[in-house]
Amino acid sequence: MSSFFTLPASQRKRKREDVSAPPITKKRSTTARGNAKGPQRAGAQRPQRDESISSSGSEDDTGRASKGQEEDIISSDSGSEDETAAERRLRLAEQYLENIKGEVDEAGFDAEQIDRDLIAERLQEDVADTKGRLYRHIVTDLAFPQATKTQFRISTDTITSIAVCPPFAYTVSKNISLIKWELPTPSPSHAEAKQRKPPKRTNPPKVRRPTRLLSTRGNKSKAGDSAFMHHTASILAIAASGSGKFVATGGADKRLIIWSAEDLTPLRVFTQHRDAITSVAFRRGTNQLYSASKDRTIKTWSLDDLAYVETLFGHQDEVVDVAALAKEQCVSVGARDRTARLWKVVEETQLVFRGGGGRVSEKNRGSGQAVASFAEGSIDRVALVDEEMFVTGSDNGSLSLWTLHKKKPVFTVPVAHGLDPPLKPEEAFAEETPDQEVPGEPQPRWITALATVPYSDLILSGSWDGNVRVWRVSGDKRRIEAMGAVGVVAQINETVENPANEGDPDGPIRGVMNDIGVFERGDRGMHGICIVIATGREHRLGRWIKVEGKNGAMVLEVPKIVRTQVTDHSKIEDDELVP
């Protein structure tokens, strides 16, 4: 009989290999320490596991050149079985990136060229847009002196407000009219015209004017009719949704009317406000609407359901303007309470920013010259630069830059639109024979219109000085810099005593600018910007100002500066970094 001691040494060595197998199963059994039955189940599966490893090892021995490669394969297989779902996704993502990197290396692309890819830049801009941060510096890329002007063909009363939803524009006026326009496509730029063949005709191209598509008008005699689906008094405000589906108007008749943007059919009339509605604004990318009123409140509306949502209280005087961007919040100004308030609708809180300053600090003068100081009596206009910064315009002509982190303006431009000439003694005094020796004082022009291109450094302001002023937010976001006027090459005078004739297309804009609408042409302003202005002989909210001008609207097409390609890489990088 054979026994253990009489067996050959080769057989005893093979049995020793069977005994050495458990360390592998011991590593597998560590995953089930919390289970009391885990070791038994692992032990029951040991023969099958050992056989699979040994068989795979024998097959790998025939295909591999070394035993070290076999051990690496076995360890990687066991690691893939022990990894979690998150680790597996991470490993696959890393493997995918390595594959792409290998393909790119084979194709011969440079890593620096990939970093500058347009898709990567676009993704970065989208992230900044979502966060509501100022990220685009477009002022230096626009040729404001070369802007072209086109008048609307319109015969109506003072245009009080304007809204744009490319390629359409909507205007409202004091004679209770609502008009829909189609804006013309701008002519090719100078650089594009050079590439084309010269035209056979020598006659100048015909100026294309906005086309009047639809119009509707209210009726003052229907003031007591609650079933009348239109306005019964002057329409003071209008806004168009970004989706192009809704148009909202508010008027002195306390009515907020929602219209179908396609055919100007009234969808719903709201009468929750107790006084005139002075401003309306849509939340960017949604159909949520904010309305401001002289009843000192702001109301929110959901146009998806055509329903009223809630009322925001806090202002101590008439709310004359409201603005909103992508976040569920809005900013408003309260006229003579001299405050701007940021409303966080979800949190049901508000931040109060107090104006009323009349002094000009040394840091705001810039050139060091003395600037006249006028007390601020009313904050009339507001526009959002991004989610954390906004600008306001006041009746003393000051343009102020605000940030959410300070309760006072970060920077103020005094008398932004210059001074009016002094009043004549007959206009300043009530006597039949006033004293001609009493000198009058020049008064600042109010800022009656204010607009921005959201998430950029561009600010536009208007008054009755005949020009749309261009301003730029500095790179450190702590200053406002003057960049001239639209369509004007030379420096603008402080007063406009003799405006150009009405028939002169290159002259200043005559009348009070009651509203400004602006949008970008092409993908992210590739072809410049379009500015639409609402003008009138009177202010939109009253008759305090009488200006020689024309009731109507004007389109200003601002082309983009075409930069020539430079072979010097250092110059290209410098151009890209210019704010």
Side-chain angles (χ1 to χ4, degrees):
M1 293 179 64
S2 62
S3 64
F4 174 80
F5 299 100
T6 60
L7 288 174
S10 58
Q11 296 182 8
R12 290 201 301 270
K13 188 177 294 185
R14 282 197 295 270
K15 287 185 178 181
R16 228 178 263 122
E17 287 180 357
D18 295 337
V19 176
S20 62
I24 298 178
T25 58
K26 183 178 180 180
K27 183 177 179 181
R28 291 283 300 167
S29 62
T30 56
T31 59
R33 289 180 179 177
N35 191 355
K37 297 181 180 180
Q40 298 178 0
R41 294 180 180 176
Q45 296 178 359
R46 267 178 209 165
Q48 184 178 359
R49 174 62 181 166
D50 296 341
E51 291 175 2
S52 63
I53 293 176
S54 61
S55 62
S56 62
S58 61
E59 293 174 359
D60 292 337
D61 287 337
T62 59
R64 302 292 181 179
S66 64
K67 186 177 179 181
Q69 294 179 352
E70 175 189 353
E71 294 177 352
D72 292 339
I73 294 173
I74 296 175
S75 61
S76 63
D77 291 338
S78 61
S80 62
E81 293 178 0
D82 293 339
E83 66 183 355
T84 62
E87 293 173 347
R88 182 173 181 274
R89 287 194 296 267
L90 180 61
R91 180 173 58 82
L92 293 176
E94 293 176 349
Q95 184 179 359
Y96 176 72
L97 292 176
E98 290 294 333
N99 294 338
I100 293 179
K101 185 177 179 180
E103 295 176 0
V104 170
D105 293 339
E106 292 177 0
F109 287 101
D110 188 10
E112 184 178 359
Q113 182 179 359
I114 297 173
D115 294 337
R116 293 182 179 181
D117 189 61
L118 295 177
I119 298 177
E121 294 179 1
R122 184 61 177 267
L123 290 175
Q124 292 176 0
E125 292 182 354
D126 291 340
V127 171
D129 193 355
T130 304
K131 294 182 178 180
R133 306 262 183 193
L134 184 147
Y135 63 92
R136 288 187 299 159
H137 304 277
I138 65 175
V139 175
T140 54
D141 296 332
L142 297 172
F144 290 101
Q146 284 75 39
T148 58
K149 304 178 184 179
T150 306
Q151 288 279 356
F152 279 65
R153 286 181 176 175
I154 185 173
S155 177
T156 181
D157 205 344
T158 297
I159 303 296
T160 57
S161 185
I162 195 166
V164 291
C165 181
F168 304 109
Y170 305 86
T171 60
V172 291
S173 62
K174 289 188 177 181
N175 65 347
I176 330 178
S177 64
L178 168 61
I179 306 176
K180 179 180 180 180
W181 306 83
E182 183 178 3
L183 299 175
T185 304
S187 58
S189 62
H190 182 66
E192 295 175 353
K194 282 186 176 181
Q195 298 177 359
R196 299 184 179 183
K197 295 181 180 179
K200 296 181 180 180
R201 297 181 181 180
T202 58
N203 297 330
K206 186 177 179 180
V207 178
R208 293 187 58 191
R209 298 180 181 271
T211 305
R212 182 169 178 166
L213 301 179
L214 297 170
S215 64
T216 178
R217 188 168 180 176
N219 191 349
K220 292 184 179 180
S221 62
K222 298 288 186 178
D225 187 1
S226 60
F228 183 60
M229 299 283 287
H230 212 297
H231 287 283
T232 59
S234 300
I235 307 176
L236 304 178
I238 186 172
S241 63
S243 62
K245 186 177 180 181
F246 299 107
V247 172
T249 58
D253 55 358
K254 312 175 188 178
R255 292 188 175 195
L256 175 67
I257 302 180
I258 310 302
W259 309 81
S260 171
E262 183 178 358
D263 53 5
L264 296 185
T265 302
L267 303 177
R268 185 73 182 273
V269 178
F270 296 103
T271 58
Q272 277 83 347
H273 278 292
R274 296 180 295 174
D275 207 336
I277 299 173
T278 56
S279 180
V280 288
F282 276 94
R283 180 185 167 197
R284 186 182 177 94
T286 67
N287 291 324
Q288 184 177 356
L289 180 69
Y290 302 97
S291 62
S293 173
K294 290 185 178 181
D295 62 4
R296 308 181 183 182
T297 65
I298 298 170
K299 296 185 184 295
T300 62
W301 316 82
S302 174
L303 299 194
D304 292 327
D305 303 324
L306 291 177
Y308 159 78
V309 179
E310 64 176 324
T311 303
L312 307 176
F313 297 92
H315 277 289
Q316 303 301 314
D317 196 27
E318 301 173 354
V319 187
V320 291
D321 201 6
V322 65
L325 284 181
K327 288 187 178 180
E328 198 167 353
Q329 61 187 26
C330 65
V331 61
S332 60
V333 289
R336 294 199 174 273
D337 70 356
R338 293 176 292 184
T339 64
R341 297 174 186 256
L342 180 76
W343 307 87
K344 298 182 179 180
V345 180
V346 177
E347 301 175 7
E348 297 183 354
T349 59
Q350 58 177 294
L351 300 178
V352 183
F353 305 88
R354 301 194 180 277
R359 298 181 180 178
V360 181
S361 60
E362 193 69 28
K363 64 180 180 179
N364 291 351
R365 293 177 181 174
S367 62
Q369 299 178 356
V371 181
S373 175
F374 298 90
E376 185 178 54
S378 173
I379 303 180
D380 299 328
R381 281 300 193 176
V382 65
L384 280 162
V385 178
D386 56 22
E387 302 291 358
E388 298 182 354
M389 189 178 301
F390 62 93
V391 290
T392 59
S394 305
D395 63 348
N396 65 343
S398 62
L399 184 69
S400 301
L401 178 67
W402 306 75
T403 179
L404 301 188
H405 309 295
K406 288 190 177 182
K407 299 298 182 181
K408 288 291 183 179
V410 177
F411 189 83
T412 299
V413 179
V415 197
H417 282 263
L419 301 173
D420 264 340
L423 294 176
K424 298 178 180 179
E426 294 80 8
E427 299 173 347
F429 301 101
E431 290 85 355
E432 294 182 358
T433 58
D435 189 358
Q436 299 293 330
E437 296 181 358
V438 177
E441 294 184 0
Q443 296 296 319
R445 299 187 181 97
W446 308 350
I447 294 182
T448 56
L450 196 61
T452 62
V453 174
Y455 310 116
S456 74
D457 60 346
L458 176 61
I459 302 173
L460 302 172
S461 64
S463 185
W464 60 86
D465 61 341
N467 294 281
V468 179
R469 303 287 179 114
V470 182
W471 311 89
R472 180 180 69 175
V473 180
S474 62
D476 57 359
K477 303 180 184 179
R478 299 188 62 84
R479 295 178 61 87
I480 298 178
E481 301 172 355
M483 303 298 293
V486 180
V488 177
V489 179
Q491 186 177 1
I492 305 167
N493 297 328
E494 287 296 321
T495 60
V496 181
E497 298 182 5
N498 297 318
N501 296 329
E502 187 174 339
D504 185 5
D506 297 327
I509 304 167
R510 303 187 64 186
V512 181
M513 300 181 203
N514 287 317
D515 201 4
I516 297 177
V518 59
F519 64 92
E520 295 179 281
R521 292 283 192 183
D523 185 17
R524 295 185 181 270
M526 183 184 301
H527 305 297
I529 63 173
C530 178
I531 305 171
V532 189
I533 308 166
T535 61
R537 296 189 181 95
E538 301 172 351
H539 191 271
R540 67 187 187 100
L541 298 180
R543 295 183 174 179
W544 312 288
I545 304 170
K546 286 284 187 178
V547 180
E548 291 296 330
K550 185 177 180 180
N551 297 325
M554 179 179 289
V555 179
L556 302 175
E557 293 287 352
V558 181
K560 190 171 183 179
I561 298 176
V562 179
R563 301 185 184 276
T564 57
Q565 295 182 356
V566 184
T567 56
D568 189 358
H569 295 286
S570 62
K571 291 185 178 180
I572 295 176
E573 293 178 358
D574 292 339
D575 290 340
E576 292 177 354
L577 296 176
V578 173

